[in-house]
PDB file of all heavy atoms in Angstrom:
ATOM      1  N   LEU A  25      77.099  26.410-218.416  1.00  0.00           N
ATOM      2  CA  LEU A  25      75.973  25.686-218.986  1.00  0.00           C
ATOM      3  C   LEU A  25      76.455  25.070-220.286  1.00  0.00           C
ATOM      4  O   LEU A  25      76.975  25.774-221.155  1.00  0.00           O
ATOM      5  CB  LEU A  25      74.789  26.624-219.262  1.00  0.00           C
ATOM      6  CG  LEU A  25      73.574  25.951-219.897  1.00  0.00           C
ATOM      7  CD1 LEU A  25      72.919  24.977-218.916  1.00  0.00           C
ATOM      8  CD2 LEU A  25      72.562  26.981-220.354  1.00  0.00           C
ATOM      9  N   LEU A  26      76.299  23.752-220.411  1.00  0.00           N
ATOM     10  CA  LEU A  26      76.642  23.048-221.645  1.00  0.00           C
ATOM     11  C   LEU A  26      75.350  22.700-222.371  1.00  0.00           C
ATOM     12  O   LEU A  26      74.451  22.096-221.794  1.00  0.00           O
ATOM     13  CB  LEU A  26      77.417  21.766-221.341  1.00  0.00           C
ATOM     14  CG  LEU A  26      77.667  20.827-222.525  1.00  0.00           C
ATOM     15  CD1 LEU A  26      78.527  21.498-223.595  1.00  0.00           C
ATOM     16  CD2 LEU A  26      78.301  19.534-222.053  1.00  0.00           C
ATOM     17  N   VAL A  27      75.262  23.109-223.631  1.00  0.00           N
ATOM     18  CA  VAL A  27      74.140  22.742-224.494  1.00  0.00           C
ATOM     19  C   VAL A  27      74.742  21.848-225.564  1.00  0.00           C
ATOM     20  O   VAL A  27      75.609  22.277-226.323  1.00  0.00           O
ATOM     21  CB  VAL A  27      73.467  23.989-225.114  1.00  0.00           C
ATOM     22  CG1 VAL A  27      72.335  23.576-226.036  1.00  0.00           C
ATOM     23  CG2 VAL A  27      72.978  24.927-224.021  1.00  0.00           C
ATOM     24  N   GLU A  28      74.301  20.581-225.572  1.00  0.00           N
ATOM     25  CA  GLU A  28      74.928  19.624-226.484  1.00  0.00           C
ATOM     26  C   GLU A  28      73.887  18.845-227.282  1.00  0.00           C
ATOM     27  O   GLU A  28      72.761  18.651-226.832  1.00  0.00           O
ATOM     28  CB  GLU A  28      75.825  18.657-225.717  1.00  0.00           C
ATOM     29  CG  GLU A  28      75.089  17.795-224.717  1.00  0.00           C
ATOM     30  CD  GLU A  28      75.991  16.903-223.887  1.00  0.00           C
ATOM     31  OE1 GLU A  28      77.172  16.748-224.237  1.00  0.00           O
ATOM     32  OE2 GLU A  28      75.502  16.364-222.889  1.00  0.00           O
ATOM     33  N   ALA A  29      74.326  18.412-228.442  1.00  0.00           N
ATOM     34  CA  ALA A  29      73.495  17.581-229.305  1.00  0.00           C
ATOM     35  C   ALA A  29      73.676  16.131-228.893  1.00  0.00           C
ATOM     36  O   ALA A  29      74.797  15.634-228.855  1.00  0.00           O
ATOM     37  CB  ALA A  29      73.905  17.769-230.757  1.00  0.00           C
ATOM     38  N   ARG A  31      73.336  12.427-229.896  1.00  0.00           N
ATOM     39  CA  ARG A  31      73.291  11.748-231.189  1.00  0.00           C
ATOM     40  C   ARG A  31      72.774  10.319-231.048  1.00  0.00           C
ATOM     41  O   ARG A  31      72.870   9.718-229.993  1.00  0.00           O
ATOM     42  CB  ARG A  31      74.678  11.741-231.823  1.00  0.00           C
ATOM     43  CG  ARG A  31      75.161  13.152-232.104  1.00  0.00           C
ATOM     44  CD  ARG A  31      76.496  13.157-232.811  1.00  0.00           C
ATOM     45  NE  ARG A  31      76.949  14.511-233.021  1.00  0.00           N
ATOM     46  CZ  ARG A  31      76.546  15.281-234.028  1.00  0.00           C
ATOM     47  NH1 ARG A  31      75.706  14.835-234.906  1.00  0.00           N
ATOM     48  NH2 ARG A  31      77.009  16.511-234.154  1.00  0.00           N
ATOM     49  N   VAL A  46      78.227  21.988-216.224  1.00  0.00           N
ATOM     50  CA  VAL A  46      79.531  21.335-216.169  1.00  0.00           C
ATOM     51  C   VAL A  46      80.463  22.195-215.321  1.00  0.00           C
ATOM     52  O   VAL A  46      80.324  23.413-215.266  1.00  0.00           O
ATOM     53  CB  VAL A  46      80.125  21.079-217.572  1.00  0.00           C
ATOM     54  CG1 VAL A  46      79.322  20.024-218.314  1.00  0.00           C
ATOM     55  CG2 VAL A  46      80.203  22.351-218.387  1.00  0.00           C
ATOM     56  N   LEU A  57      91.582  25.633-221.620  1.00  0.00           N
ATOM     57  CA  LEU A  57      91.444  25.375-223.059  1.00  0.00           C
ATOM     58  C   LEU A  57      91.074  23.914-223.299  1.00  0.00           C
ATOM     59  O   LEU A  57      90.181  23.610-224.090  1.00  0.00           O
ATOM     60  CB  LEU A  57      92.728  25.733-223.797  1.00  0.00           C
ATOM     61  CG  LEU A  57      93.092  27.215-223.831  1.00  0.00           C
ATOM     62  CD1 LEU A  57      94.452  27.415-224.491  1.00  0.00           C
ATOM     63  CD2 LEU A  57      92.026  28.034-224.520  1.00  0.00           C
ATOM     64  N   SER A  58      91.733  23.014-222.601  1.00  0.00           N
ATOM     65  CA  SER A  58      91.431  21.590-222.720  1.00  0.00           C
ATOM     66  C   SER A  58      89.995  21.301-222.296  1.00  0.00           C
ATOM     67  O   SER A  58      89.284  20.518-222.936  1.00  0.00           O
ATOM     68  CB  SER A  58      92.413  20.794-221.863  1.00  0.00           C
ATOM     69  OG  SER A  58      92.145  19.430-221.974  1.00  0.00           O
ATOM     70  N   PHE A  59      89.547  21.949-221.232  1.00  0.00           N
ATOM     71  CA  PHE A  59      88.174  21.810-220.764  1.00  0.00           C
ATOM     72  C   PHE A  59      87.187  22.242-221.850  1.00  0.00           C
ATOM     73  O   PHE A  59      86.214  21.547-222.138  1.00  0.00           O
ATOM     74  CB  PHE A  59      87.977  22.639-219.485  1.00  0.00           C
ATOM     75  CG  PHE A  59      86.548  22.788-219.063  1.00  0.00           C
ATOM     76  CD1 PHE A  59      85.871  21.755-218.439  1.00  0.00           C
ATOM     77  CD2 PHE A  59      85.873  23.983-219.289  1.00  0.00           C
ATOM     78  CE1 PHE A  59      84.546  21.896-218.055  1.00  0.00           C
ATOM     79  CE2 PHE A  59      84.549  24.142-218.901  1.00  0.00           C
ATOM     80  CZ  PHE A  59      83.884  23.092-218.283  1.00  0.00           C
ATOM     81  N   PHE A  60      87.431  23.397-222.481  1.00  0.00           N
ATOM     82  CA  PHE A  60      86.562  23.881-223.554  1.00  0.00           C
ATOM     83  C   PHE A  60      86.505  22.866-224.704  1.00  0.00           C
ATOM     84  O   PHE A  60      85.435  22.520-225.187  1.00  0.00           O
ATOM     85  CB  PHE A  60      87.023  25.237-224.087  1.00  0.00           C
ATOM     86  CG  PHE A  60      86.767  26.415-223.182  1.00  0.00           C
ATOM     87  CD1 PHE A  60      87.419  27.612-223.401  1.00  0.00           C
ATOM     88  CD2 PHE A  60      85.877  26.352-222.119  1.00  0.00           C
ATOM     89  CE1 PHE A  60      87.182  28.727-222.592  1.00  0.00           C
ATOM     90  CE2 PHE A  60      85.633  27.437-221.296  1.00  0.00           C
ATOM     91  CZ  PHE A  60      86.289  28.632-221.545  1.00  0.00           C
ATOM     92  N   TYR A  61      87.677  22.406-225.169  1.00  0.00           N
ATOM     93  CA  TYR A  61      87.730  21.446-226.276  1.00  0.00           C
ATOM     94  C   TYR A  61      86.940  20.181-225.948  1.00  0.00           C
ATOM     95  O   TYR A  61      86.163  19.690-226.769  1.00  0.00           O
ATOM     96  CB  TYR A  61      89.171  21.051-226.602  1.00  0.00           C
ATOM     97  CG  TYR A  61      90.006  22.140-227.227  1.00  0.00           C
ATOM     98  CD1 TYR A  61      91.219  22.512-226.668  1.00  0.00           C
ATOM     99  CD2 TYR A  61      89.596  22.780-228.395  1.00  0.00           C
ATOM    100  CE1 TYR A  61      91.996  23.513-227.237  1.00  0.00           C
ATOM    101  CE2 TYR A  61      90.365  23.773-228.977  1.00  0.00           C
ATOM    102  CZ  TYR A  61      91.571  24.132-228.390  1.00  0.00           C
ATOM    103  OH  TYR A  61      92.332  25.119-228.961  1.00  0.00           O
ATOM    104  N   ASN A  62      87.157  19.647-224.754  1.00  0.00           N
ATOM    105  CA  ASN A  62      86.499  18.393-224.371  1.00  0.00           C
ATOM    106  C   ASN A  62      85.008  18.570-224.137  1.00  0.00           C
ATOM    107  O   ASN A  62      84.212  17.705-224.507  1.00  0.00           O
ATOM    108  CB  ASN A  62      87.161  17.805-223.121  1.00  0.00           C
ATOM    109  CG  ASN A  62      88.561  17.308-223.400  1.00  0.00           C
ATOM    110  OD1 ASN A  62      88.858  16.823-224.488  1.00  0.00           O
ATOM    111  ND2 ASN A  62      89.440  17.443-222.434  1.00  0.00           N
ATOM    112  N   ALA A  63      84.608  19.669-223.522  1.00  0.00           N
ATOM    113  CA  ALA A  63      83.197  19.875-223.177  1.00  0.00           C
ATOM    114  C   ALA A  63      82.320  19.947-224.424  1.00  0.00           C
ATOM    115  O   ALA A  63      81.233  19.373-224.445  1.00  0.00           O
ATOM    116  CB  ALA A  63      83.019  21.135-222.334  1.00  0.00           C
ATOM    117  N   ILE A  64      82.800  20.642-225.463  1.00  0.00           N
ATOM    118  CA  ILE A  64      81.974  20.758-226.674  1.00  0.00           C
ATOM    119  C   ILE A  64      82.470  19.844-227.796  1.00  0.00           C
ATOM    120  O   ILE A  64      81.977  19.919-228.912  1.00  0.00           O
ATOM    121  CB  ILE A  64      81.840  22.225-227.160  1.00  0.00           C
ATOM    122  CG1 ILE A  64      83.191  22.845-227.502  1.00  0.00           C
ATOM    123  CG2 ILE A  64      81.097  23.057-226.128  1.00  0.00           C
ATOM    124  CD1 ILE A  64      83.080  24.232-228.137  1.00  0.00           C
ATOM    125  N   ASP A  65      83.433  18.981-227.477  1.00  0.00           N
ATOM    126  CA  ASP A  65      83.926  17.960-228.399  1.00  0.00           C
ATOM    127  C   ASP A  65      84.318  18.562-229.746  1.00  0.00           C
ATOM    128  O   ASP A  65      83.701  18.291-230.780  1.00  0.00           O
ATOM    129  CB  ASP A  65      82.869  16.864-228.588  1.00  0.00           C
ATOM    130  CG  ASP A  65      83.421  15.657-229.335  1.00  0.00           C
ATOM    131  OD1 ASP A  65      84.651  15.450-229.311  1.00  0.00           O
ATOM    132  OD2 ASP A  65      82.614  14.926-229.949  1.00  0.00           O
ATOM    133  N   CYS A  66      85.360  19.404-229.700  1.00  0.00           N
ATOM    134  CA  CYS A  66      85.792  20.068-230.927  1.00  0.00           C
ATOM    135  C   CYS A  66      87.309  20.129-231.010  1.00  0.00           C
ATOM    136  O   CYS A  66      88.011  19.863-230.039  1.00  0.00           O
ATOM    137  CB  CYS A  66      85.202  21.477-230.985  1.00  0.00           C
ATOM    138  SG  CYS A  66      85.922  22.615-229.782  1.00  0.00           S
ATOM    139  N   ARG A  67      87.806  20.503-232.202  1.00  0.00           N
ATOM    140  CA  ARG A  67      89.245  20.695-232.416  1.00  0.00           C
ATOM    141  C   ARG A  67      89.640  22.161-232.284  1.00  0.00           C
ATOM    142  O   ARG A  67      90.748  22.475-231.897  1.00  0.00           O
ATOM    143  CB  ARG A  67      89.662  20.181-233.790  1.00  0.00           C
ATOM    144  CG  ARG A  67      89.504  18.693-233.950  1.00  0.00           C
ATOM    145  CD  ARG A  67      89.990  18.167-235.287  1.00  0.00           C
ATOM    146  NE  ARG A  67      89.549  18.987-236.413  1.00  0.00           N
ATOM    147  CZ  ARG A  67      90.341  19.341-237.416  1.00  0.00           C
ATOM    148  NH1 ARG A  67      91.593  18.957-237.457  1.00  0.00           N
ATOM    149  NH2 ARG A  67      89.867  20.076-238.404  1.00  0.00           N
ATOM    150  N   THR A  68      88.719  23.047-232.668  1.00  0.00           N
ATOM    151  CA  THR A  68      88.948  24.485-232.551  1.00  0.00           C
ATOM    152  C   THR A  68      87.654  25.127-232.064  1.00  0.00           C
ATOM    153  O   THR A  68      86.567  24.650-232.377  1.00  0.00           O
ATOM    154  CB  THR A  68      89.363  25.129-233.898  1.00  0.00           C
ATOM    155  OG1 THR A  68      88.321  24.937-234.848  1.00  0.00           O
ATOM    156  CG2 THR A  68      90.667  24.548-234.415  1.00  0.00           C
ATOM    157  N   PHE A  69      87.779  26.204-231.317  1.00  0.00           N
ATOM    158  CA  PHE A  69      86.581  26.882-230.835  1.00  0.00           C
ATOM    159  C   PHE A  69      86.728  28.389-230.981  1.00  0.00           C
ATOM    160  O   PHE A  69      87.833  28.908-231.130  1.00  0.00           O
ATOM    161  CB  PHE A  69      86.257  26.514-229.372  1.00  0.00           C
ATOM    162  CG  PHE A  69      87.261  26.998-228.366  1.00  0.00           C
ATOM    163  CD1 PHE A  69      87.185  28.287-227.837  1.00  0.00           C
ATOM    164  CD2 PHE A  69      88.282  26.174-227.926  1.00  0.00           C
ATOM    165  CE1 PHE A  69      88.108  28.741-226.909  1.00  0.00           C
ATOM    166  CE2 PHE A  69      89.210  26.626-226.995  1.00  0.00           C
ATOM    167  CZ  PHE A  69      89.114  27.903-226.491  1.00  0.00           C
ATOM    168  N   ASP A  70      85.594  29.054-230.957  1.00  0.00           N
ATOM    169  CA  ASP A  70      85.529  30.517-230.936  1.00  0.00           C
ATOM    170  C   ASP A  70      84.736  30.917-229.706  1.00  0.00           C
ATOM    171  O   ASP A  70      83.908  30.147-229.214  1.00  0.00           O
ATOM    172  CB  ASP A  70      84.790  31.070-232.161  1.00  0.00           C
ATOM    173  CG  ASP A  70      85.656  31.137-233.395  1.00  0.00           C
ATOM    174  OD1 ASP A  70      86.870  31.340-233.249  1.00  0.00           O
ATOM    175  OD2 ASP A  70      85.121  30.991-234.504  1.00  0.00           O
ATOM    176  N   ILE A  71      84.963  32.132-229.259  1.00  0.00           N
ATOM    177  CA  ILE A  71      84.149  32.702-228.193  1.00  0.00           C
ATOM    178  C   ILE A  71      83.362  33.845-228.809  1.00  0.00           C
ATOM    179  O   ILE A  71      83.926  34.763-229.397  1.00  0.00           O
ATOM    180  CB  ILE A  71      85.003  33.180-227.015  1.00  0.00           C
ATOM    181  CG1 ILE A  71      85.704  31.971-226.397  1.00  0.00           C
ATOM    182  CG2 ILE A  71      84.135  33.905-225.986  1.00  0.00           C
ATOM    183  CD1 ILE A  71      86.635  32.274-225.263  1.00  0.00           C
ATOM    184  N   LEU A  80      79.508  32.840-225.416  1.00  0.00           N
ATOM    185  CA  LEU A  80      79.243  31.487-225.883  1.00  0.00           C
ATOM    186  C   LEU A  80      80.548  30.904-226.413  1.00  0.00           C
ATOM    187  O   LEU A  80      81.207  31.522-227.251  1.00  0.00           O
ATOM    188  CB  LEU A  80      78.198  31.492-227.001  1.00  0.00           C
ATOM    189  CG  LEU A  80      76.885  32.206-226.715  1.00  0.00           C
ATOM    190  CD1 LEU A  80      76.019  32.242-227.978  1.00  0.00           C
ATOM    191  CD2 LEU A  80      76.151  31.541-225.574  1.00  0.00           C
ATOM    192  N   VAL A  81      80.926  29.736-225.924  1.00  0.00           N
ATOM    193  CA  VAL A  81      82.097  29.020-226.427  1.00  0.00           C
ATOM    194  C   VAL A  81      81.551  28.006-227.425  1.00  0.00           C
ATOM    195  O   VAL A  81      80.797  27.099-227.051  1.00  0.00           O
ATOM    196  CB  VAL A  81      82.866  28.322-225.288  1.00  0.00           C
ATOM    197  CG1 VAL A  81      84.085  27.590-225.839  1.00  0.00           C
ATOM    198  CG2 VAL A  81      83.273  29.329-224.210  1.00  0.00           C
ATOM    199  N   VAL A  82      81.895  28.184-228.706  1.00  0.00           N
ATOM    200  CA  VAL A  82      81.275  27.396-229.780  1.00  0.00           C
ATOM    201  C   VAL A  82      82.332  26.666-230.613  1.00  0.00           C
ATOM    202  O   VAL A  82      83.477  27.094-230.708  1.00  0.00           O
ATOM    203  CB  VAL A  82      80.409  28.291-230.701  1.00  0.00           C
ATOM    204  CG1 VAL A  82      79.353  29.035-229.902  1.00  0.00           C
ATOM    205  CG2 VAL A  82      81.259  29.277-231.474  1.00  0.00           C
ATOM    206  N   ASP A  83      81.913  25.567-231.231  1.00  0.00           N
ATOM    207  CA  ASP A  83      82.763  24.795-232.127  1.00  0.00           C
ATOM    208  C   ASP A  83      82.994  25.614-233.397  1.00  0.00           C
ATOM    209  O   ASP A  83      82.045  25.920-234.124  1.00  0.00           O
ATOM    210  CB  ASP A  83      82.079  23.463-232.443  1.00  0.00           C
ATOM    211  CG  ASP A  83      82.922  22.539-233.321  1.00  0.00           C
ATOM    212  OD1 ASP A  83      83.966  22.975-233.845  1.00  0.00           O
ATOM    213  OD2 ASP A  83      82.508  21.379-233.483  1.00  0.00           O
ATOM    214  N   ASP A  84      84.235  25.969-233.660  1.00  0.00           N
ATOM    215  CA  ASP A  84      84.575  26.771-234.832  1.00  0.00           C
ATOM    216  C   ASP A  84      84.281  26.028-236.133  1.00  0.00           C
ATOM    217  O   ASP A  84      84.052  26.649-237.167  1.00  0.00           O
ATOM    218  CB  ASP A  84      86.053  27.167-234.767  1.00  0.00           C
ATOM    219  CG  ASP A  84      86.449  28.150-235.851  1.00  0.00           C
ATOM    220  OD1 ASP A  84      85.681  29.093-236.107  1.00  0.00           O
ATOM    221  OD2 ASP A  84      87.536  27.975-236.443  1.00  0.00           O
ATOM    222  N   GLU A  85      84.293  24.698-236.076  1.00  0.00           N
ATOM    223  CA  GLU A  85      84.076  23.890-237.275  1.00  0.00           C
ATOM    224  C   GLU A  85      82.725  23.174-237.249  1.00  0.00           C
ATOM    225  O   GLU A  85      82.501  22.231-237.997  1.00  0.00           O
ATOM    226  CB  GLU A  85      85.213  22.875-237.416  1.00  0.00           C
ATOM    227  CG  GLU A  85      86.570  23.537-237.567  1.00  0.00           C
ATOM    228  CD  GLU A  85      87.720  22.546-237.548  1.00  0.00           C
ATOM    229  OE1 GLU A  85      87.577  21.448-236.959  1.00  0.00           O
ATOM    230  OE2 GLU A  85      88.762  22.870-238.115  1.00  0.00           O
ATOM    231  N   GLY A  86      81.817  23.608-236.376  1.00  0.00           N
ATOM    232  CA  GLY A  86      80.527  22.945-236.222  1.00  0.00           C
ATOM    233  C   GLY A  86      79.710  22.874-237.496  1.00  0.00           C
ATOM    234  O   GLY A  86      78.962  21.922-237.712  1.00  0.00           O
ATOM    235  N   VAL A  89      80.265  19.663-239.592  1.00  0.00           N
ATOM    236  CA  VAL A  89      79.949  18.354-239.015  1.00  0.00           C
ATOM    237  C   VAL A  89      78.519  17.985-239.389  1.00  0.00           C
ATOM    238  O   VAL A  89      77.574  18.690-239.031  1.00  0.00           O
ATOM    239  CB  VAL A  89      80.120  18.369-237.477  1.00  0.00           C
ATOM    240  CG1 VAL A  89      79.720  17.031-236.879  1.00  0.00           C
ATOM    241  CG2 VAL A  89      81.545  18.738-237.092  1.00  0.00           C
ATOM    242  N   ASN A  92      74.769  18.209-237.223  1.00  0.00           N
ATOM    243  CA  ASN A  92      74.821  19.149-236.102  1.00  0.00           C
ATOM    244  C   ASN A  92      73.579  20.044-236.101  1.00  0.00           C
ATOM    245  O   ASN A  92      73.154  20.512-237.164  1.00  0.00           O
ATOM    246  CB  ASN A  92      76.057  20.051-236.195  1.00  0.00           C
ATOM    247  CG  ASN A  92      77.121  19.697-235.188  1.00  0.00           C
ATOM    248  OD1 ASN A  92      76.896  18.930-234.274  1.00  0.00           O
ATOM    249  ND2 ASN A  92      78.298  20.272-235.364  1.00  0.00           N
ATOM    250  N   ILE A 103      74.394  29.777-234.320  1.00  0.00           N
ATOM    251  CA  ILE A 103      75.601  28.962-234.176  1.00  0.00           C
ATOM    252  C   ILE A 103      75.249  27.517-234.508  1.00  0.00           C
ATOM    253  O   ILE A 103      74.083  27.140-234.536  1.00  0.00           O
ATOM    254  CB  ILE A 103      76.228  29.057-232.767  1.00  0.00           C
ATOM    255  CG1 ILE A 103      75.264  28.525-231.712  1.00  0.00           C
ATOM    256  CG2 ILE A 103      76.658  30.479-232.450  1.00  0.00           C
ATOM    257  CD1 ILE A 103      75.930  28.303-230.373  1.00  0.00           C
ATOM    258  N   VAL A 104      76.285  26.709-234.736  1.00  0.00           N
ATOM    259  CA  VAL A 104      76.086  25.311-235.098  1.00  0.00           C
ATOM    260  C   VAL A 104      76.857  24.427-234.127  1.00  0.00           C
ATOM    261  O   VAL A 104      78.034  24.655-233.875  1.00  0.00           O
ATOM    262  CB  VAL A 104      76.563  25.052-236.539  1.00  0.00           C
ATOM    263  CG1 VAL A 104      76.351  23.599-236.918  1.00  0.00           C
ATOM    264  CG2 VAL A 104      75.856  25.975-237.515  1.00  0.00           C
ATOM    265  N   GLY A 105      76.188  23.425-233.591  1.00  0.00           N
ATOM    266  CA  GLY A 105      76.824  22.452-232.713  1.00  0.00           C
ATOM    267  C   GLY A 105      76.735  22.820-231.237  1.00  0.00           C
ATOM    268  O   GLY A 105      76.145  23.830-230.859  1.00  0.00           O
ATOM    269  N   SER A 106      77.320  21.974-230.426  1.00  0.00           N
ATOM    270  CA  SER A 106      77.302  22.142-228.979  1.00  0.00           C
ATOM    271  C   SER A 106      78.012  23.430-228.569  1.00  0.00           C
ATOM    272  O   SER A 106      78.912  23.903-229.268  1.00  0.00           O
ATOM    273  CB  SER A 106      77.985  20.951-228.305  1.00  0.00           C
ATOM    274  OG  SER A 106      77.312  19.751-228.629  1.00  0.00           O
ATOM    275  N   PHE A 107      77.608  23.978-227.419  1.00  0.00           N
ATOM    276  CA  PHE A 107      78.246  25.204-226.935  1.00  0.00           C
ATOM    277  C   PHE A 107      78.167  25.304-225.423  1.00  0.00           C
ATOM    278  O   PHE A 107      77.367  24.638-224.777  1.00  0.00           O
ATOM    279  CB  PHE A 107      77.633  26.447-227.588  1.00  0.00           C
ATOM    280  CG  PHE A 107      76.167  26.666-227.296  1.00  0.00           C
ATOM    281  CD1 PHE A 107      75.762  27.457-226.228  1.00  0.00           C
ATOM    282  CD2 PHE A 107      75.190  26.091-228.090  1.00  0.00           C
ATOM    283  CE1 PHE A 107      74.413  27.676-225.969  1.00  0.00           C
ATOM    284  CE2 PHE A 107      73.839  26.298-227.844  1.00  0.00           C
ATOM    285  CZ  PHE A 107      73.460  27.093-226.776  1.00  0.00           C
ATOM    286  N   LEU A 108      79.046  26.142-224.879  1.00  0.00           N
ATOM    287  CA  LEU A 108      79.073  26.464-223.453  1.00  0.00           C
ATOM    288  C   LEU A 108      78.634  27.903-223.267  1.00  0.00           C
ATOM    289  O   LEU A 108      78.916  28.754-224.111  1.00  0.00           O
ATOM    290  CB  LEU A 108      80.492  26.333-222.885  1.00  0.00           C
ATOM    291  CG  LEU A 108      81.074  24.943-222.736  1.00  0.00           C
ATOM    292  CD1 LEU A 108      82.578  25.032-222.473  1.00  0.00           C
ATOM    293  CD2 LEU A 108      80.392  24.194-221.608  1.00  0.00           C
ATOM    294  N   VAL A 109      77.991  28.170-222.145  1.00  0.00           N
ATOM    295  CA  VAL A 109      77.637  29.541-221.774  1.00  0.00           C
ATOM    296  C   VAL A 109      78.481  29.910-220.561  1.00  0.00           C
ATOM    297  O   VAL A 109      78.455  29.228-219.538  1.00  0.00           O
ATOM    298  CB  VAL A 109      76.141  29.672-221.433  1.00  0.00           C
ATOM    299  CG1 VAL A 109      75.814  31.101-221.027  1.00  0.00           C
ATOM    300  CG2 VAL A 109      75.279  29.223-222.599  1.00  0.00           C
TER     301      VAL A 109
END
Side-chain angles (χ1 to χ4, degrees):
L25 178 68
L26 172 63
V27 178
E28 63 184 347
R31 297 184 182 278
V46 291
L57 293 175
S58 180
F59 169 77
F60 287 164
Y61 290 126
N62 291 327
I64 60 173
D65 190 24
C66 70
R67 295 183 315 136
T68 61
F69 67 85
D70 279 329
I71 296 177
L80 307 174
V81 180
V82 304
D83 183 351
D84 187 43
E85 299 173 334
V89 177
N92 253 348
I103 63 167
V104 180
S106 300
F107 62 92
L108 289 167
V109 179

